[in-house]
Amino acid sequence: MEFVLKEEPGKVPYLLIPGFGGKAHVRAIFSTRHGGVSKGPFSSLNLGFHTGDFPTRVAANRRILYKTLGLTDDQIHTTEQVHGDRVLVIKERQDLAAHVLVQADAQVTALRGVALTGFFADCLAVYLYDPVGKVIGLAHAGWRGTVGGIARKCVEAMKQHFGSEPGRCFAALSPAAGPCCYEVGKMVADAVKEVFPEDWGLLLPAGEGKWKLDLWRANFEVLHEMGIKRENIIVSTCCTICRQDLFFSHRGSEGITGRMAALLILD
């Protein structure tokens, strides 16, 4: 299994994992930057409201994507991402009725028809799926979330609240800033060294006081350490900084850019 680009006439292109977890009733999706109405540095399918783009265009882009995916607005559930480690647990339909976005960087649920959604432009989307308990989780992992253990806490929430066993779960790591391009300074490198074993090889020297960070490897090893089998973890090796023809990149655009969406749905 891997992410593949799906393109259909009259619809926006997007990445998905066919048969994620060997099941047809779960969809793991990651959008591209193409097919929308935004202009300039936000061209064209910018899905992020807090980017400097016109809100009407962002709203139109979201409608375009959701229509392509056969989703309605009331199925979409997102949070205010703050680069933290909070996991929002959604157990009942009434939990979806909040009028204010909850600050959280991960969500888990066993409700069908709910599209857990996050927005990204270099950070990593972590998709989790328990095909036995029919539980899903989606996490937003930049360097802060990765160091803070957001992937681990998402797995723990699935286990605590829904009885998921990591050994039967599947995971996927989205396109993100790759170790080829993702340069960090001493502060980030020190935080990574404090949390992760050196033999994981997460930091590659890139000059005086600079390193290249491997977010994919960090989260892969965390998920495996939690009990998810290596063969059940899908890793996209598509770097969003390298592939700005296909994706938005916060780093690659010096901060002025749009956002892609990651969606995970139990149909």
Side-chain angles (χ1 to χ4, degrees):
M1 292 184 294
E2 59 183 15
F3 287 88
V4 300
L5 183 63
K6 185 168 183 178
E7 299 178 277
E8 298 181 45
K11 296 183 178 181
V12 298
Y14 60 92
L15 300 177
L16 79 161
I17 307 172
F20 182 41
K23 303 293 182 181
H25 59 247
V26 64
R27 287 186 284 166
I29 291 161
F30 195 78
S31 70
T32 74
R33 67 180 298 161
H34 297 301
V37 300
S38 292
K39 306 296 182 183
F42 310 109
S43 177
S44 62
L45 193 72
N46 172 31
L47 302 167
F49 277 112
H50 302 295
T51 56
D53 195 2
F54 289 102
T56 53
R57 291 178 178 172
V58 176
N61 289 336
R62 290 191 180 190
R63 288 194 298 271
I64 290 168
L65 177 65
Y66 300 158
K67 182 178 180 181
T68 289
L69 300 176
L71 298 171
T72 57
D73 285 344
D74 61 355
Q75 290 180 272
I76 305 298
H77 194 270
T78 190
T79 61
E80 181 183 354
Q81 296 167 185
V82 292
H83 298 279
D85 64 355
R86 181 184 176 187
V87 181
L88 178 65
V89 179
I90 304 167
K91 290 187 175 182
E92 307 291 342
R93 293 282 169 184
Q94 63 192 29
D95 296 336
L96 303 171
H99 297 291
V100 179
L101 285 180
V102 175
Q103 288 189 343
D105 282 85
Q107 309 174 66
V108 299
T109 193
L111 294 175
R112 289 189 177 277
V114 175
L116 302 183
T117 306
F119 300 97
F120 300 80
D122 287 340
C123 290
L124 181 68
V126 181
Y127 303 78
L128 296 164
Y129 175 46
D130 170 8
V132 177
K134 296 182 175 56
V135 184
I136 55 174
L138 180 70
H140 165 250
W143 77 261
R144 290 182 180 85
T146 297
V147 168
I150 189 69
R152 172 178 55 80
K153 291 175 182 178
C154 198
V155 175
E156 288 174 343
M158 290 171 64
K159 184 174 182 177
Q160 177 184 347
H161 295 278
F162 300 102
S164 295
E165 291 298 331
R168 71 192 189 202
C169 289
F170 290 79
L173 307 178
S174 76
C180 50
C181 299
Y182 187 25
E183 188 176 285
V184 299
K186 186 176 185 300
M187 181 191 73
V188 176
D190 286 348
V192 171
K193 291 174 183 177
E194 186 175 342
V195 172
F196 299 114
E198 185 176 350
D199 61 6
W200 283 8
L202 304 182
L203 294 164
L204 302 174
E208 184 67 28
K210 298 177 182 179
W211 292 262
K212 297 288 183 65
L213 174 59
D214 192 338
L215 289 176
W216 289 314
R217 177 72 185 275
N219 286 278
F220 181 99
E221 296 297 344
V222 166
L223 293 170
H224 177 60
E225 199 171 59
M226 287 296 296
I228 300 179
K229 298 173 183 176
R230 290 185 180 274
E231 61 268 27
N232 287 349
I233 306 174
I234 300 163
V235 182
S236 168
T237 55
C238 195
C239 173
T240 49
I241 300 175
C242 288
R243 293 298 310 274
Q244 292 178 66
D245 60 312
L246 190 59
F247 303 111
F248 296 111
S249 169
H250 188 268
R251 282 292 187 98
S253 64
E254 299 182 349
I256 303 175
T257 195
R259 297 293 185 274
M260 289 83 65
L263 302 98
L264 189 58
I265 312 128
L266 278 172
D267 287 321

